[in-house]
Amino acid sequence: MRFFILACAFVSATLSALSASPRLPASFSAEQRTQLGLEASEQPDFGLEELTETRLVLVLFDLYCPVCQKSAENLRQLHVALTEQFPNTPMLAVGSGDTPLEAATFARKFELAMPVTSDRERALASAFDASKTPAVLLLERASTDKPFEVTWSREGYFGHEHLDALLARLGHEQR
Amino acid sequence: MKLPPRSFVFLGLLFFGAGLGATNGDNLIAIGPNARGMGGLSVANPQDAISAVFGNPAAMCYSRYCPSSQVDFAATIFAPHVDALVSNPMGGLDSVVKAGSDEKIYPIPAIGLSIPFKRGQDQWRFGLAAYGVSGLGVDYRDTSIDVANYFGPGANLVAGEFTSLQIMKFAPAVAYQVSDNVSLGAALHLDYATLDLGSGSAPAIGAGAQLGMVWRPTTNVSLGLTYISPQEVTHDKVVAMPTSTGDIARFDLTLEAPQQFAAGISWETMDHRLVSGIEAKWINWADAKGYSDFDWKNQTVIAIGAQYEVIRDKFFLRLGYNYGENPVKAHQGWNGAFTATGPAEVVTVQGIQFPRYYYETFRIIGFPAIVESHITLGCTIALGPSTELSIAYLRALEATITEVGVGPAGTPTTLQSTLSEDSFEFGFAWRF
């Protein structure tokens, strides 16, 4: 009986680990932590399941991707629009395949104010089946104890029309 | 008047019929419908795998997303229109001999591949392209230009009623992204060429290299530099000459694709829908074996072009213009007369002696690589999220070269060729 209980606990823990999103570095400013709802956490890393909101705009980029670089200005404008119009929808930019330094370089070079982290192993890209960069994904979940699902996506150059489409999808017309 | 030995006549067979094909001298202005639809732009901001490997091996991730692997299949349907004229060849008679080269259609295939070395990352890329750079020649056989024994036994009206040069290039390439906005690249060029001067095809192989760099100082601007080394091929025993004993002697002929430098700038506006560019290319014909022997001069080519993304990811239009001054020098006042003791002037080419008249006829009539201006149009239509079809049309505007000298009969003679070209491009791209 004891063995059976231990086995169930082991299986449950394993399944929980498998369903948890990848751990990413959490080198954010206090303001950025607030945006993501991570202000109470002191962990050096985090998983998407720890975020406090039920919607998230996830951007996957690569420092060495020219198309990502071309899209950066529109991504910056997207963050500004979300902050002003949809404060409960945070935005997270992830350097897919980048080191933390590379991801930070991208953010600094293109003056991105949103939280930026890196995913060296491309785990998020695999989890959401988004192998190309840039990728802008709208993630939504029914409640904070449910996993995120992709409800809107754009892979490739992120232009003005894609910014408008995403904002419209979030319930606001722009321009 | 003693006419030259029959041996001299053969020397007029001109291998440079290839020059008809390919629009900047005997080089295609670019490879693939995307680049050819934009006036040949392919150094600063290539738009597909074929033009990247051909134009600048340092080009990285030119697709709408990264990393991406891409394979391109393309074909050029090339139709040159050539006419030749010889006036007053015999003197004393106001005569003009004119003819059009047999109008043939030349298919020129191409394939290109570009993939990241490691799946999911784009700092190292491998590229591979194989393409025809020439599939051309002149064919005046059975025309009024093709007159045997015109000036006497063994002395035809012109030298070179049939020529055919075909060159295929195989180019593996590698590119490395040094930083987020600088990339370097290198390609190995392996050439396979065949030359037929009317007495059988003579294959030859050669090799060279290409280096390239791309720098993107801003997200809207791209600068490119590239260099191609000289590439020499020797066609064994391709020139056939009868000897005094009635045998046929065969001689080798060396052709060297010249070194080239190219630089370009591209800028993107209108939310990156409009891509515009200008490029300059310097082609060193004057120091290339074969071409220098036939007195070609260096050529500076200017290309301008634009691409507009009418429907994002789905429909593109292209427009371009390419100009390169004719590299074939026009000689005036030469003495091609045949005297009692032989030709008044002889030109030595790689140890082979050409009577002046036949040297000039195959330069002008057999080798009229003279077109200068090209207007190009093109478009791309997406067939699906990973495939697209491209087409382009290129028109090389008519150009004429004229020389006046003294003909074999000792009278003023005019040699003239006129050339224009139509080219249709087709391409299929698959991203995976």
PDB file of all heavy atoms in Angstrom, chain B residues 319-348:
ATOM      1  N   LEU B 319      10.418  45.503 -61.224  1.00  0.00           N
ATOM      2  CA  LEU B 319      10.759  46.332 -62.369  1.00  0.00           C
ATOM      3  C   LEU B 319      12.239  46.653 -62.264  1.00  0.00           C
ATOM      4  O   LEU B 319      12.758  46.866 -61.161  1.00  0.00           O
ATOM      5  CB  LEU B 319       9.940  47.620 -62.336  1.00  0.00           C
ATOM      6  CG  LEU B 319      10.158  48.647 -63.446  1.00  0.00           C
ATOM      7  CD1 LEU B 319       9.641  48.098 -64.771  1.00  0.00           C
ATOM      8  CD2 LEU B 319       9.421  49.939 -63.095  1.00  0.00           C
ATOM      9  N   GLY B 320      12.923  46.711 -63.421  1.00  0.00           N
ATOM     10  CA  GLY B 320      14.336  47.028 -63.342  1.00  0.00           C
ATOM     11  C   GLY B 320      14.933  47.477 -64.657  1.00  0.00           C
ATOM     12  O   GLY B 320      14.311  47.373 -65.722  1.00  0.00           O
ATOM     13  N   TYR B 321      16.157  47.994 -64.554  1.00  0.00           N
ATOM     14  CA  TYR B 321      16.906  48.459 -65.724  1.00  0.00           C
ATOM     15  C   TYR B 321      18.374  48.153 -65.489  1.00  0.00           C
ATOM     16  O   TYR B 321      18.897  48.331 -64.378  1.00  0.00           O
ATOM     17  CB  TYR B 321      16.702  49.958 -65.929  1.00  0.00           C
ATOM     18  CG  TYR B 321      17.522  50.528 -67.068  1.00  0.00           C
ATOM     19  CD1 TYR B 321      17.162  50.294 -68.389  1.00  0.00           C
ATOM     20  CD2 TYR B 321      18.655  51.290 -66.820  1.00  0.00           C
ATOM     21  CE1 TYR B 321      17.909  50.809 -69.440  1.00  0.00           C
ATOM     22  CE2 TYR B 321      19.413  51.807 -67.870  1.00  0.00           C
ATOM     23  CZ  TYR B 321      19.025  51.562 -69.171  1.00  0.00           C
ATOM     24  OH  TYR B 321      19.784  52.062 -70.209  1.00  0.00           O
ATOM     25  N   ASN B 322      19.014  47.685 -66.534  1.00  0.00           N
ATOM     26  CA  ASN B 322      20.421  47.309 -66.435  1.00  0.00           C
ATOM     27  C   ASN B 322      21.157  47.890 -67.626  1.00  0.00           C
ATOM     28  O   ASN B 322      20.714  47.751 -68.769  1.00  0.00           O
ATOM     29  CB  ASN B 322      20.527  45.775 -66.411  1.00  0.00           C
ATOM     30  CG  ASN B 322      21.949  45.264 -66.274  1.00  0.00           C
ATOM     31  OD1 ASN B 322      22.768  45.425 -67.153  1.00  0.00           O
ATOM     32  ND2 ASN B 322      22.223  44.627 -65.154  1.00  0.00           N
ATOM     33  N   TYR B 323      22.284  48.525 -67.364  1.00  0.00           N
ATOM     34  CA  TYR B 323      23.065  49.113 -68.447  1.00  0.00           C
ATOM     35  C   TYR B 323      24.540  48.788 -68.283  1.00  0.00           C
ATOM     36  O   TYR B 323      25.117  49.001 -67.207  1.00  0.00           O
ATOM     37  CB  TYR B 323      22.901  50.627 -68.499  1.00  0.00           C
ATOM     38  CG  TYR B 323      23.766  51.256 -69.576  1.00  0.00           C
ATOM     39  CD1 TYR B 323      23.327  51.288 -70.901  1.00  0.00           C
ATOM     40  CD2 TYR B 323      25.038  51.753 -69.286  1.00  0.00           C
ATOM     41  CE1 TYR B 323      24.124  51.826 -71.900  1.00  0.00           C
ATOM     42  CE2 TYR B 323      25.846  52.299 -70.284  1.00  0.00           C
ATOM     43  CZ  TYR B 323      25.381  52.324 -71.592  1.00  0.00           C
ATOM     44  OH  TYR B 323      26.169  52.841 -72.591  1.00  0.00           O
ATOM     45  N   GLY B 324      25.131  48.286 -69.352  1.00  0.00           N
ATOM     46  CA  GLY B 324      26.570  48.078 -69.389  1.00  0.00           C
ATOM     47  C   GLY B 324      27.051  48.395 -70.784  1.00  0.00           C
ATOM     48  O   GLY B 324      26.545  47.846 -71.760  1.00  0.00           O
ATOM     49  N   GLU B 325      28.031  49.303 -70.879  1.00  0.00           N
ATOM     50  CA  GLU B 325      28.522  49.686 -72.199  1.00  0.00           C
ATOM     51  C   GLU B 325      29.102  48.471 -72.910  1.00  0.00           C
ATOM     52  O   GLU B 325      29.774  47.629 -72.302  1.00  0.00           O
ATOM     53  CB  GLU B 325      29.586  50.778 -72.064  1.00  0.00           C
ATOM     54  CG  GLU B 325      30.050  51.356 -73.397  1.00  0.00           C
ATOM     55  CD  GLU B 325      31.106  52.437 -73.241  1.00  0.00           C
ATOM     56  OE1 GLU B 325      31.496  52.723 -72.087  1.00  0.00           O
ATOM     57  OE2 GLU B 325      31.551  52.974 -74.262  1.00  0.00           O
ATOM     58  N   ASN B 326      28.831  48.391 -74.197  1.00  0.00           N
ATOM     59  CA  ASN B 326      29.341  47.303 -75.030  1.00  0.00           C
ATOM     60  C   ASN B 326      30.839  47.107 -74.806  1.00  0.00           C
ATOM     61  O   ASN B 326      31.627  48.034 -74.979  1.00  0.00           O
ATOM     62  CB  ASN B 326      29.047  47.669 -76.499  1.00  0.00           C
ATOM     63  CG  ASN B 326      29.812  46.815 -77.488  1.00  0.00           C
ATOM     64  OD1 ASN B 326      30.164  45.678 -77.189  1.00  0.00           O
ATOM     65  ND2 ASN B 326      30.086  47.373 -78.657  1.00  0.00           N
ATOM     66  N   PRO B 327      31.285  45.901 -74.437  1.00  0.00           N
ATOM     67  CA  PRO B 327      32.709  45.695 -74.163  1.00  0.00           C
ATOM     68  C   PRO B 327      33.548  45.426 -75.416  1.00  0.00           C
ATOM     69  O   PRO B 327      34.777  45.429 -75.341  1.00  0.00           O
ATOM     70  CB  PRO B 327      32.704  44.459 -73.256  1.00  0.00           C
ATOM     71  CG  PRO B 327      31.507  43.690 -73.701  1.00  0.00           C
ATOM     72  CD  PRO B 327      30.486  44.719 -74.082  1.00  0.00           C
ATOM     73  N   VAL B 328      32.883  45.206 -76.558  1.00  0.00           N
ATOM     74  CA  VAL B 328      33.630  44.885 -77.782  1.00  0.00           C
ATOM     75  C   VAL B 328      34.093  46.183 -78.429  1.00  0.00           C
ATOM     76  O   VAL B 328      33.273  47.010 -78.841  1.00  0.00           O
ATOM     77  CB  VAL B 328      32.763  44.078 -78.764  1.00  0.00           C
ATOM     78  CG1 VAL B 328      33.580  43.712 -80.014  1.00  0.00           C
ATOM     79  CG2 VAL B 328      32.206  42.836 -78.089  1.00  0.00           C
ATOM     80  N   LYS B 329      35.378  46.384 -78.521  1.00  0.00           N
ATOM     81  CA  LYS B 329      35.896  47.608 -79.144  1.00  0.00           C
ATOM     82  C   LYS B 329      35.663  47.562 -80.651  1.00  0.00           C
ATOM     83  O   LYS B 329      35.844  46.528 -81.294  1.00  0.00           O
ATOM     84  CB  LYS B 329      37.395  47.750 -78.881  1.00  0.00           C
ATOM     85  CG  LYS B 329      37.754  48.049 -77.439  1.00  0.00           C
ATOM     86  CD  LYS B 329      39.261  48.246 -77.309  1.00  0.00           C
ATOM     87  CE  LYS B 329      39.636  48.481 -75.855  1.00  0.00           C
ATOM     88  NZ  LYS B 329      41.114  48.607 -75.693  1.00  0.00           N
ATOM     89  N   ALA B 330      35.287  48.685 -81.200  1.00  0.00           N
ATOM     90  CA  ALA B 330      35.133  48.788 -82.650  1.00  0.00           C
ATOM     91  C   ALA B 330      36.430  49.332 -83.241  1.00  0.00           C
ATOM     92  O   ALA B 330      36.861  50.431 -82.885  1.00  0.00           O
ATOM     93  CB  ALA B 330      33.959  49.697 -82.989  1.00  0.00           C
ATOM     94  N   HIS B 331      37.039  48.561 -84.083  1.00  0.00           N
ATOM     95  CA  HIS B 331      38.265  48.981 -84.734  1.00  0.00           C
ATOM     96  C   HIS B 331      37.923  49.633 -86.073  1.00  0.00           C
ATOM     97  O   HIS B 331      37.091  49.140 -86.821  1.00  0.00           O
ATOM     98  CB  HIS B 331      39.187  47.785 -84.987  1.00  0.00           C
ATOM     99  CG  HIS B 331      39.597  47.074 -83.736  1.00  0.00           C
ATOM    100  ND1 HIS B 331      39.956  45.731 -83.721  1.00  0.00           N
ATOM    101  CD2 HIS B 331      39.714  47.503 -82.463  1.00  0.00           C
ATOM    102  CE1 HIS B 331      40.276  45.375 -82.488  1.00  0.00           C
ATOM    103  NE2 HIS B 331      40.131  46.442 -81.701  1.00  0.00           N
ATOM    104  N   GLN B 332      38.593  50.694 -86.367  1.00  0.00           N
ATOM    105  CA  GLN B 332      38.366  51.392 -87.635  1.00  0.00           C
ATOM    106  C   GLN B 332      39.692  51.527 -88.377  1.00  0.00           C
ATOM    107  O   GLN B 332      40.746  51.667 -87.767  1.00  0.00           O
ATOM    108  CB  GLN B 332      37.763  52.774 -87.388  1.00  0.00           C
ATOM    109  CG  GLN B 332      36.553  52.814 -86.487  1.00  0.00           C
ATOM    110  CD  GLN B 332      35.342  52.049 -87.023  1.00  0.00           C
ATOM    111  OE1 GLN B 332      35.274  51.714 -88.219  1.00  0.00           O
ATOM    112  NE2 GLN B 332      34.373  51.784 -86.150  1.00  0.00           N
ATOM    113  N   GLY B 333      39.598  51.465 -89.724  1.00  0.00           N
ATOM    114  CA  GLY B 333      40.779  51.713 -90.544  1.00  0.00           C
ATOM    115  C   GLY B 333      41.778  50.574 -90.586  1.00  0.00           C
ATOM    116  O   GLY B 333      42.934  50.773 -90.930  1.00  0.00           O
ATOM    117  N   TRP B 334      41.358  49.343 -90.212  1.00  0.00           N
ATOM    118  CA  TRP B 334      42.293  48.208 -90.292  1.00  0.00           C
ATOM    119  C   TRP B 334      42.524  47.805 -91.750  1.00  0.00           C
ATOM    120  O   TRP B 334      41.740  48.114 -92.639  1.00  0.00           O
ATOM    121  CB  TRP B 334      41.764  47.016 -89.495  1.00  0.00           C
ATOM    122  CG  TRP B 334      40.280  46.831 -89.553  1.00  0.00           C
ATOM    123  CD1 TRP B 334      39.375  47.288 -88.668  1.00  0.00           C
ATOM    124  CD2 TRP B 334      39.526  46.171 -90.583  1.00  0.00           C
ATOM    125  NE1 TRP B 334      38.109  46.950 -89.050  1.00  0.00           N
ATOM    126  CE2 TRP B 334      38.164  46.257 -90.223  1.00  0.00           C
ATOM    127  CE3 TRP B 334      39.874  45.507 -91.768  1.00  0.00           C
ATOM    128  CZ2 TRP B 334      37.151  45.716 -91.003  1.00  0.00           C
ATOM    129  CZ3 TRP B 334      38.864  44.972 -92.554  1.00  0.00           C
ATOM    130  CH2 TRP B 334      37.510  45.076 -92.168  1.00  0.00           C
ATOM    131  N   ASN B 335      43.628  47.100 -91.941  1.00  0.00           N
ATOM    132  CA  ASN B 335      43.994  46.706 -93.290  1.00  0.00           C
ATOM    133  C   ASN B 335      43.854  45.189 -93.410  1.00  0.00           C
ATOM    134  O   ASN B 335      44.710  44.435 -92.972  1.00  0.00           O
ATOM    135  CB  ASN B 335      45.425  47.135 -93.617  1.00  0.00           C
ATOM    136  CG  ASN B 335      45.780  46.880 -95.075  1.00  0.00           C
ATOM    137  OD1 ASN B 335      44.991  46.318 -95.834  1.00  0.00           O
ATOM    138  ND2 ASN B 335      46.977  47.310 -95.482  1.00  0.00           N
ATOM    139  N   GLY B 336      42.769  44.755 -94.028  1.00  0.00           N
ATOM    140  CA  GLY B 336      42.527  43.330 -94.184  1.00  0.00           C
ATOM    141  C   GLY B 336      42.820  42.817 -95.574  1.00  0.00           C
ATOM    142  O   GLY B 336      42.369  41.736 -95.951  1.00  0.00           O
ATOM    143  N   ALA B 337      43.577  43.585 -96.331  1.00  0.00           N
ATOM    144  CA  ALA B 337      43.845  43.202 -97.719  1.00  0.00           C
ATOM    145  C   ALA B 337      44.738  41.973 -97.782  1.00  0.00           C
ATOM    146  O   ALA B 337      45.594  41.748 -96.925  1.00  0.00           O
ATOM    147  CB  ALA B 337      44.491  44.365 -98.457  1.00  0.00           C
ATOM    148  N   PHE B 338      44.547  41.193 -98.853  1.00  0.00           N
ATOM    149  CA  PHE B 338      45.417  40.058 -99.146  1.00  0.00           C
ATOM    150  C   PHE B 338      46.351  40.476-100.272  1.00  0.00           C
ATOM    151  O   PHE B 338      45.904  40.872-101.350  1.00  0.00           O
ATOM    152  CB  PHE B 338      44.607  38.837 -99.583  1.00  0.00           C
ATOM    153  CG  PHE B 338      43.642  38.333 -98.548  1.00  0.00           C
ATOM    154  CD1 PHE B 338      42.499  37.639 -98.918  1.00  0.00           C
ATOM    155  CD2 PHE B 338      43.854  38.557 -97.211  1.00  0.00           C
ATOM    156  CE1 PHE B 338      41.598  37.174 -97.973  1.00  0.00           C
ATOM    157  CE2 PHE B 338      42.964  38.096 -96.246  1.00  0.00           C
ATOM    158  CZ  PHE B 338      41.822  37.401 -96.632  1.00  0.00           C
ATOM    159  N   THR B 339      47.626  40.387-100.014  1.00  0.00           N
ATOM    160  CA  THR B 339      48.610  40.769-101.018  1.00  0.00           C
ATOM    161  C   THR B 339      49.170  39.522-101.688  1.00  0.00           C
ATOM    162  O   THR B 339      48.789  38.397-101.349  1.00  0.00           O
ATOM    163  CB  THR B 339      49.744  41.558-100.362  1.00  0.00           C
ATOM    164  OG1 THR B 339      50.507  40.674 -99.532  1.00  0.00           O
ATOM    165  CG2 THR B 339      49.208  42.707 -99.507  1.00  0.00           C
ATOM    166  N   ALA B 340      50.083  39.752-102.589  1.00  0.00           N
ATOM    167  CA  ALA B 340      50.686  38.626-103.316  1.00  0.00           C
ATOM    168  C   ALA B 340      51.475  37.713-102.386  1.00  0.00           C
ATOM    169  O   ALA B 340      51.634  36.519-102.659  1.00  0.00           O
ATOM    170  CB  ALA B 340      51.571  39.148-104.434  1.00  0.00           C
ATOM    171  N   THR B 341      51.899  38.271-101.251  1.00  0.00           N
ATOM    172  CA  THR B 341      52.726  37.485-100.340  1.00  0.00           C
ATOM    173  C   THR B 341      51.949  37.055 -99.099  1.00  0.00           C
ATOM    174  O   THR B 341      52.523  36.487 -98.170  1.00  0.00           O
ATOM    175  CB  THR B 341      53.951  38.299 -99.896  1.00  0.00           C
ATOM    176  OG1 THR B 341      53.499  39.540 -99.327  1.00  0.00           O
ATOM    177  CG2 THR B 341      54.863  38.578-101.067  1.00  0.00           C
ATOM    178  N   GLY B 342      50.636  37.371 -99.056  1.00  0.00           N
ATOM    179  CA  GLY B 342      49.844  36.971 -97.894  1.00  0.00           C
ATOM    180  C   GLY B 342      49.065  38.136 -97.335  1.00  0.00           C
ATOM    181  O   GLY B 342      49.023  39.215 -97.935  1.00  0.00           O
ATOM    182  N   PRO B 343      48.450  37.967 -96.189  1.00  0.00           N
ATOM    183  CA  PRO B 343      47.657  39.049 -95.592  1.00  0.00           C
ATOM    184  C   PRO B 343      48.539  40.236 -95.254  1.00  0.00           C
ATOM    185  O   PRO B 343      49.669  40.084 -94.795  1.00  0.00           O
ATOM    186  CB  PRO B 343      47.095  38.418 -94.321  1.00  0.00           C
ATOM    187  CG  PRO B 343      47.259  36.949 -94.477  1.00  0.00           C
ATOM    188  CD  PRO B 343      48.416  36.745 -95.385  1.00  0.00           C
ATOM    189  N   ALA B 344      47.995  41.458 -95.467  1.00  0.00           N
ATOM    190  CA  ALA B 344      48.756  42.656 -95.159  1.00  0.00           C
ATOM    191  C   ALA B 344      49.011  42.760 -93.652  1.00  0.00           C
ATOM    192  O   ALA B 344      50.053  43.244 -93.232  1.00  0.00           O
ATOM    193  CB  ALA B 344      48.004  43.887 -95.651  1.00  0.00           C
ATOM    194  N   GLU B 345      48.056  42.327 -92.839  1.00  0.00           N
ATOM    195  CA  GLU B 345      48.205  42.345 -91.388  1.00  0.00           C
ATOM    196  C   GLU B 345      47.789  40.989 -90.839  1.00  0.00           C
ATOM    197  O   GLU B 345      46.839  40.365 -91.317  1.00  0.00           O
ATOM    198  CB  GLU B 345      47.332  43.440 -90.746  1.00  0.00           C
ATOM    199  CG  GLU B 345      47.780  44.849 -91.038  1.00  0.00           C
ATOM    200  CD  GLU B 345      46.917  45.873 -90.293  1.00  0.00           C
ATOM    201  OE1 GLU B 345      46.057  45.456 -89.493  1.00  0.00           O
ATOM    202  OE2 GLU B 345      47.097  47.073 -90.533  1.00  0.00           O
ATOM    203  N   VAL B 346      48.491  40.571 -89.804  1.00  0.00           N
ATOM    204  CA  VAL B 346      48.176  39.320 -89.123  1.00  0.00           C
ATOM    205  C   VAL B 346      48.077  39.601 -87.625  1.00  0.00           C
ATOM    206  O   VAL B 346      48.911  40.328 -87.072  1.00  0.00           O
ATOM    207  CB  VAL B 346      49.243  38.247 -89.389  1.00  0.00           C
ATOM    208  CG1 VAL B 346      48.984  36.997 -88.538  1.00  0.00           C
ATOM    209  CG2 VAL B 346      49.268  37.865 -90.866  1.00  0.00           C
ATOM    210  N   VAL B 347      47.064  39.042 -86.971  1.00  0.00           N
ATOM    211  CA  VAL B 347      46.900  39.182 -85.525  1.00  0.00           C
ATOM    212  C   VAL B 347      47.143  37.810 -84.898  1.00  0.00           C
ATOM    213  O   VAL B 347      46.555  36.821 -85.324  1.00  0.00           O
ATOM    214  CB  VAL B 347      45.483  39.678 -85.178  1.00  0.00           C
ATOM    215  CG1 VAL B 347      45.331  39.810 -83.670  1.00  0.00           C
ATOM    216  CG2 VAL B 347      45.204  41.010 -85.881  1.00  0.00           C
ATOM    217  N   THR B 348      48.011  37.781 -83.929  1.00  0.00           N
ATOM    218  CA  THR B 348      48.334  36.521 -83.252  1.00  0.00           C
ATOM    219  C   THR B 348      47.494  36.387 -81.982  1.00  0.00           C
ATOM    220  O   THR B 348      47.522  37.259 -81.114  1.00  0.00           O
ATOM    221  CB  THR B 348      49.815  36.459 -82.891  1.00  0.00           C
ATOM    222  OG1 THR B 348      50.589  36.584 -84.090  1.00  0.00           O
ATOM    223  CG2 THR B 348      50.142  35.123 -82.223  1.00  0.00           C
TER     224      THR B 348
END
